[in-house]
Amino acid sequence: MGKRGWQSIIWSAVTVLFLLSFMTPFIVFTFSFLLVPMVMLFVKSSTKRFIISYVVSLLVIVLLTQWHSWFLITLSLLMLPTVLAMGTLYKRKAPARSVLTAGIVTIIAEALLGLVCGYLFGFDPVARFKDFMQSSIDTMPPAMKELLPTDMEVYLNFIVQVIPLYLIFFALFYAFVTHGVSRWLLNKSGEGIPGLRPMREWMLQKSLVWIYLVAFVLDMFTTPDASSLISTLLMNAMPLLMLVFAVQAIGFLFFVSYANRWKPVLPIIGIVILCVMPPLFLVYSLLGVFDVAFPIRERFKKNL
């Protein structure tokens, strides 16, 4: 058996272990990396070998978990489209941006498809989620309930309204974690997978500045209302836009450090401050807007 054959066996075994971790406390550690073993298995195997290895992995799950296996198999099948999308681009040595975009879009598309299918079969996932949140709050100790808003209906409606935002953040998190770990492992095995450009070179499209400004102005003059479509859109769009431009601001700090030939102390401090003081997201996002909208970097270079 060749090297790739052993790699297929190893990553098949890791895939089984990661899926089985759902039935143990170790899921706390493995949850963020569930896609990684399957991506590695796909990239390091031929199509035929991947299919065989994947089917054998599912059979092992069935043998080990008996009737519990339906949940693990369903979970594995839900992860498969994202694995195929990212893994195919890895095999083609596609740019990291294309891989991440494919992963994010696939995860979001699967979630939306699941919601549509649920509604078609008479199952309302959003209502079930709201009921779950209500029951969870009802079982809280009185001391914890005092920390929550007094109007629980408004609070629950708000949580339901920002479900799209949670979904986007989940897709971003999973795609970036999977890419980061998988690329590191693949490069260690000699694949030569391209990475993202240095953060100092990141630059958003200027059209996003106008979208941010329009959303910012509307948010200032819009009263939160559970029945308002524009309010729901702003609740989801503003945090996402602020995050994107805050990341752009961090990129600008990396650029300043690189241009002055400093060690990356400035951007690291900036990241730490942002993590411990989340209200500064607005300030960082505005810095990111200025970085994209105006030729600050060109003027900065001329003054060096």
Side-chain angles (χ1 to χ4, degrees):
M1 184 180 294
K3 182 179 179 181
R4 285 191 174 269
W6 282 110
Q7 288 178 338
S8 297
I9 293 175
I10 291 170
W11 288 114
S12 295
V14 176
T15 298
V16 171
L17 291 175
F18 270 49
L19 288 172
L20 290 176
S21 70
F22 255 87
M23 304 175 68
T24 70
F26 291 105
I27 186 59
V28 175
F29 305 102
T30 60
F31 180 78
S32 299
F33 311 103
L34 287 175
L35 294 176
V36 174
M38 291 177 63
V39 169
M40 294 297 298
L41 176 61
F42 180 78
V43 177
K44 304 302 289 185
S45 308
S46 63
T47 303
K48 181 179 178 181
R49 179 171 287 170
F50 171 76
I51 294 172
I52 295 173
S53 301
Y54 182 68
V55 171
V56 170
S57 299
L58 296 184
L59 291 175
V60 172
I61 292 291
V62 172
L63 291 174
L64 293 177
T65 60
Q66 302 296 320
W67 61 277
H68 291 289
S69 62
W70 68 269
F71 169 73
L72 299 179
I73 291 175
T74 302
L75 177 67
S76 178
L77 292 173
L78 288 174
M79 295 189 295
L80 189 58
T82 307
V83 169
L84 296 179
M86 298 181 71
T88 300
L89 292 176
Y90 280 139
K91 286 187 174 183
R92 297 175 182 174
K93 302 295 189 294
R97 183 175 178 179
S98 299
V99 176
L100 288 168
T101 301
I104 293 168
V105 171
T106 304
I107 293 172
I108 294 175
E110 278 194 272
L112 294 176
L113 181 61
L115 289 174
V116 172
C117 292
Y119 282 116
L120 289 177
F121 288 98
F123 177 78
D124 189 348
V126 176
R128 291 295 182 89
F129 175 75
K130 187 175 180 179
D131 292 340
F132 170 75
M133 291 297 299
Q134 182 66 63
S135 62
S136 299
I137 292 172
D138 292 339
T139 57
M140 284 182 178
M144 292 188 65
K145 287 184 179 180
E146 292 179 0
L147 301 176
L148 299 175
T150 54
D151 193 337
M152 292 308 304
E153 185 65 26
V154 174
Y155 176 66
L156 290 174
N157 286 334
F158 170 76
I159 292 177
V160 170
Q161 281 181 303
V162 295
I163 286 177
L165 181 64
Y166 295 150
L167 174 59
I168 293 172
F169 281 159
F170 174 80
L172 287 169
F173 171 79
Y174 241 86
F176 272 88
V177 170
T178 301
H179 171 71
V181 178
S182 297
R183 176 177 175 269
W184 181 77
L185 291 170
L186 288 169
N187 284 342
K188 284 290 184 180
S189 63
E191 290 292 337
I193 304 298
L196 290 168
R197 291 186 301 171
M199 201 168 179
R200 64 178 182 271
E201 298 178 8
W202 291 9
M203 183 62 66
L204 296 170
Q205 297 292 327
K206 288 191 176 182
S207 58
L208 284 175
V209 173
W210 294 107
I211 296 175
Y212 178 90
L213 293 176
V214 170
F216 186 81
V217 172
L218 288 174
D219 191 54
M220 291 176 61
F221 296 99
T222 302
T223 303
D225 184 0
S227 62
S228 171
L229 176 61
I230 187 66
S231 177
T232 301
L233 291 174
L234 289 172
M235 283 182 185
N236 290 278
M238 278 305 298
L240 185 60
L241 289 169
M242 289 177 64
L243 173 64
V244 168
F245 279 102
V247 172
Q248 178 66 48
I250 298 297
F252 175 73
L253 296 180
F254 272 104
F255 166 78
V256 172
S257 294
Y258 180 79
N260 286 282
R261 298 183 179 179
W262 299 337
K263 292 183 178 180
V265 177
L266 178 63
I268 292 174
I269 292 175
I271 293 171
V272 172
I273 292 175
L274 188 59
C275 291
V276 299
M277 300 180 67
L280 288 179
F281 258 103
L282 177 60
V283 177
Y284 277 66
S285 66
L286 291 175
L287 174 59
V289 168
F290 285 119
D291 183 30
V292 177
F294 303 104
I296 300 177
R297 301 193 182 199
E298 286 73 12
R299 294 178 182 178
F300 191 86
K301 289 178 181 178
K302 290 179 181 180
N303 293 329
L304 288 177

